[in-house]
Amino acid sequence: MKPDKSKQPMPPVNVWGPAVGLAWLIPGGGHFWLKRYGRAGLLAFAIIGMYLFGLMMRGALFQPGRGPDLLTTLIQYGGFIGNICSGLLYMLTVWLGYSQPDVPGAVHDYGTKFLVTAGLLNILAMVDAYEIAVGRKA
Amino acid sequence: MPRVTLSHFEAALLFAFFTSIVFGVVTKPNDRERLHYALYCFAWFIVALFGLGWLMFLGHR
């Protein structure tokens, strides 16, 4: 009979915290910390590449705030969460003064989606780093 | 920061490329399966891209 993985106790934070924290701050950083250099390089290439293309397409960053309706509010907060999941990339972008207004246009719109998706892909990388750190994955 | 202007198709290809890499890396246990899964995801992105493109084209006629 297979052990029920959902009943496993949560490992202590000091086991997975540094890897997950680093994975959030620097895409691929968690895998690098865990000595998975090849995977770290691929994740960094894909996530940073997507983020940089988003900036070069002049995508907009989301601001948390209430919109005129519930859907707009959800999009604003969801987009903001996606943006901040890029870690240092997002912080540097804001600190260096990037402020692209959300203007109509296919390229801008793709850029906005690239910026959010980079953050969402980084969440997958963080989850993967967590699973490696606690020994659920090789 | 230089500015790039891509077509819909180029932007979608780039999106599929980067996303497929991450899907391949985080979901499979070894390099061979990772490569296969990344290519598989990329192929499905392209199929969906053309499928939705044709759907929108026919829907607007």
Side-chain angles (χ1 to χ4, degrees):
Chain A
M1 193 171 149
K2 278 185 175 178
D4 187 359
K5 282 187 176 176
S6 63
K7 297 268 172 68
Q8 286 177 355
M10 180 90 169
V13 180
N14 61 350
V15 172
W16 53 268
V20 174
L22 210 58
W24 169 63
L25 273 178
I26 305 163
H31 287 72
F32 193 83
W33 174 266
L34 296 164
K35 297 184 172 57
R36 268 64 172 187
Y37 302 118
R39 277 183 265 174
L42 279 171
L43 288 172
F45 167 74
I47 296 170
I48 296 172
M50 182 170 260
Y51 193 88
L52 291 179
F53 266 101
L55 289 181
M56 288 191 286
M57 287 191 252
R58 297 294 185 268
L61 293 171
F62 285 91
Q63 300 292 331
R66 281 191 174 276
D69 52 64
L70 180 64
L71 183 62
T72 312
T73 306
L74 278 175
I75 290 170
Q76 291 294 337
Y77 275 98
F80 177 68
I81 290 168
N83 282 154
I84 58 171
C85 286
S86 299
L88 266 184
L89 291 171
Y90 173 76
M91 292 177 210
L92 280 174
T93 307
V94 173
W95 287 336
L96 292 174
Y98 179 87
S99 66
Q100 170 67 40
D102 193 11
V103 289
V107 180
H108 289 293
D109 204 36
Y110 264 112
T112 304
K113 271 60 183 180
F114 270 50
L115 292 173
V116 173
T117 308
L120 299 179
L121 293 177
N122 202 31
I123 294 176
L124 292 179
M126 287 158 64
V127 172
D128 197 49
Y130 170 82
E131 291 191 326
I132 295 169
V134 299
R136 290 185 196 160
K137 266 177 118 172
Chain B
M1 182 67 73
R3 193 185 191 109
V4 293
T5 302
L6 303 173
S7 67
H8 274 280
F9 183 65
E10 289 163 343
L13 271 186
L14 209 57
F15 183 93
F17 174 67
F18 288 135
T19 309
S20 301
I21 290 174
V22 177
F23 283 178
V25 168
V26 302
T27 51
K28 297 296 171 186
N30 59 58
D31 289 346
R32 188 184 160 83
E33 284 186 41
R34 283 183 195 118
L35 179 64
H36 281 184
Y37 191 67
L39 291 172
Y40 175 81
C41 286
F42 186 75
W44 272 109
F45 269 119
I46 302 304
V47 169
L49 183 62
F50 277 98
L52 289 172
W54 274 103
L55 201 67
M56 283 188 277
F57 173 73
L58 295 172
H60 277 84
R61 289 181 77 184

